[in-house]
Amino acid sequence: NMTMALPEVVKLLKERLPLQPRFFSFFFGVKDVKRYCSGKDLVSFLMKYFSMDAVKAAESFLKAGICISANGTGPFTESATIRLQASEPGFGVALNLARKWTADSEAASSDPMGLLKRLKGQLSEILQKHADEQGSIDYIAVAEDPEFFRYELAVAELQMVRLSSMDDGSRRAFLINLYNMLVPHAFAKVGVGTSDLSRSAFFDGISVILDGCFGASLSLNGIENGILRGNRKPPFHLHYALPASSPYFGLAVKCDHRIHFALNCGAKSCPPVKWFTSEAIDEELRVVAMAWAEQDENVKVDLPTRTLWLSQICNWYAADFGSDKVQIATTLHAHCRSGKKEQLKSLLEGDFKLKHLKYDWSTNSRRSHAFSANLTGLLGVLTAPQGR
């Protein structure tokens, strides 16, 4: 059927192409699974389903990055070992690698923010389709929606975005927007973490490929703690987010504590998702900082007991706000207005206690897979649907 669009062709390959699992050594005895077929199997499949020159079609799929040859970049042969990119598990595989983008991208080079905004709009339409009146989303239905698969193929174009060509403000705005788009994408692709261990693995394992660095992806922790925080250690981690060997190592920007009022990891205690621009990122961060600080769920002053209650964000990332409780309170005082500003000023005139509020890790998921991260399932095993 020569009238099928590329997403339909790839979807058919994903559903019906016979692929065999092969296991590769991984740490702690866990096995990394890749799914392959032979070049001969691919040709036979194409001859069965399509009225085309099967060998030329297979060659075009390799050229377009739909299939990858384990035998290197040489010409296609029927003896080659072939991997279908779209069939790879989500965890441990970059979310924008449903295909390898092999063509030039004018949008990625001249207007990366415009490209990202278009992709975010594409995903938002799918999410909205499967949201109820309260805004709760059926992420299982999202993952099964044919439009989500179209989005997964389209988001591969981000591979060609050059972070290295952006100034610090543009890079900061782009990565905040990207982070906030990747989280719901991952909720649909691999599920929602429900424990401290699974959430930690989620932020380490969910990643994206940028700058054409196909050998190294940038994780959510790499975005937040590696680049946006000036390459500081993520909470509860022993090592820095980006090792010196990472191709993204030199892209870190100076830490601005206000990013914590802009990044949304999917939890209800996170700040709301906003769109940030290269031109006005500083003013936009000023506005969201004021809005965040005004919420008693984030900053609460108890004058009778001289206690300052803060979001856990100010505990996990305390170093970004100050070296002690006085500096942290002073940093937040700059973002407060009217009554709360006066209350904080009163606390700062003497001694006070600093405590932290409980963080609400619940999400907007009405139905989703549970993301698993135990040592025997670090590849993001999808278990039974978890409805709430």
Side-chain angles (χ1 to χ4, degrees):
N1 182 359
M2 297 300 290
T3 65
M4 291 180 72
L6 179 62
E8 282 73 29
V9 173
V10 179
K11 188 171 186 295
L12 184 65
L13 287 168
K14 183 179 178 181
E15 291 175 349
R16 301 189 185 182
L17 181 64
L19 298 172
Q20 300 298 321
R22 297 193 182 183
F23 298 87
F24 298 88
S25 174
F26 203 51
F27 59 86
F28 292 116
V30 180
K31 301 296 182 180
D32 185 12
V33 182
K34 302 290 184 183
R35 298 182 176 91
Y36 291 95
C37 71
S38 68
K40 183 177 180 180
D41 289 339
L42 178 58
V43 168
S44 297
F45 176 87
L46 294 173
M47 290 177 65
K48 178 179 179 181
Y49 286 97
F50 301 97
S51 54
M52 59 175 72
D53 185 320
V55 173
K56 285 186 177 180
E59 290 173 345
S60 69
F61 286 157
L62 261 70
K63 185 177 180 181
I66 302 301
C67 297
I68 304 294
S69 173
N71 302 80
T73 57
F76 172 80
T77 65
E78 293 193 10
S79 62
T81 302
I82 304 297
R83 187 175 82 243
L84 179 65
Q85 283 294 104
S87 73
E88 292 303 307
F91 182 67
V93 176
L95 291 183
N96 64 331
L97 202 55
R99 62 173 292 192
K100 185 176 180 180
W101 199 271
T102 56
D104 291 333
S105 171
E106 178 66 24
S109 59
S110 64
D111 187 18
M113 195 72 85
L115 169 62
L116 182 62
K117 192 168 188 177
R118 171 169 59 81
L119 292 168
K120 182 181 183 297
Q122 194 173 343
L123 178 61
S124 295
E125 285 185 9
I126 304 168
L127 296 174
Q128 186 61 39
K129 187 194 308 185
H130 300 287
D132 62 18
E133 293 180 355
Q134 289 73 42
S136 298
I137 296 172
D138 184 342
Y139 282 104
I140 293 177
V142 169
E144 294 172 349
D145 192 319
E147 290 303 313
F148 182 71
F149 189 65
R150 287 178 177 270
Y151 160 79
E152 287 201 288
L153 291 175
V155 82
E157 192 171 358
L158 289 176
Q159 297 164 12
M160 308 310 293
V161 167
R162 300 292 175 181
L163 289 178
S164 52
S165 67
M166 299 180 187
D167 59 46
D168 285 2
S170 298
R171 193 178 304 157
R172 186 176 284 117
F174 181 88
L175 287 176
I176 291 172
N177 293 330
L178 176 63
Y179 184 103
N180 291 342
M181 184 182 80
L182 291 177
V183 170
H185 180 170
F187 280 0
K189 183 71 175 179
V190 302
V192 177
T194 57
S195 68
D196 290 342
L197 177 61
S198 63
R199 283 190 288 267
S200 178
F202 181 92
F203 296 117
D204 281 330
I206 299 305
S207 65
V208 64
I209 286 176
L210 302 169
D211 272 67
C213 298
F214 292 102
S217 59
L218 182 66
S219 69
L220 291 174
N221 263 335
I223 292 174
E224 178 179 11
N225 300 289
I227 298 182
L228 293 176
R229 294 185 64 224
N231 201 25
R232 298 184 176 184
K233 294 178 183 178
F236 313 110
H237 283 60
L238 298 177
H239 303 288
Y240 293 100
L242 295 176
S245 59
S246 169
Y248 306 103
F249 178 78
L251 301 178
V253 298
K254 183 179 179 180
C255 180
D256 184 333
H257 68 273
R258 297 175 301 175
I259 64 166
H260 299 299
F261 314 139
L263 293 170
N264 184 294
C265 70
K268 287 190 176 178
S269 283
C270 287
V273 174
K274 305 290 184 181
W275 183 260
F276 297 86
T277 65
S278 302
E279 301 79 16
I281 180 65
D282 187 65
E283 173 63 14
E284 290 159 352
L285 287 176
R286 185 188 71 82
V287 171
V288 297
M290 286 196 305
W292 188 89
E294 281 302 300
Q295 300 296 315
D296 284 345
E297 294 83 0
N298 303 319
V299 180
K300 184 177 180 180
V301 179
D302 185 347
L303 282 179
T305 64
R306 297 196 59 78
T307 303
L308 176 59
W309 290 88
L310 298 180
S311 164
Q312 287 288 348
I313 288 173
C314 298
N315 180 27
W316 299 325
Y317 302 100
D320 299 356
F321 295 88
S323 60
D324 56 37
K325 66 180 182 181
V326 173
Q327 287 191 10
I328 293 171
T330 301
T331 297
L332 294 172
H333 177 265
H335 302 309
C336 292
R337 293 173 289 178
S338 59
K340 187 171 287 186
K341 195 176 188 75
E342 290 302 314
Q343 289 177 335
L344 255 180
K345 180 181 178 182
S346 177
L347 279 189
L348 285 165
E349 290 172 349
D351 192 24
F352 62 93
K353 297 185 287 290
L354 175 59
K355 296 184 178 182
H356 295 93
L357 300 158
K358 183 178 180 181
Y359 206 76
D360 184 355
W361 282 105
S362 60
T363 70
N364 66 348
S365 170
R366 182 171 82 252
R367 195 170 68 112
S368 64
H369 289 295
F371 176 78
S372 174
N374 53 56
L375 288 181
T376 58
L378 270 174
L379 299 180
V381 176
L382 299 183
T383 59
Q386 303 294 308
R388 288 190 292 106

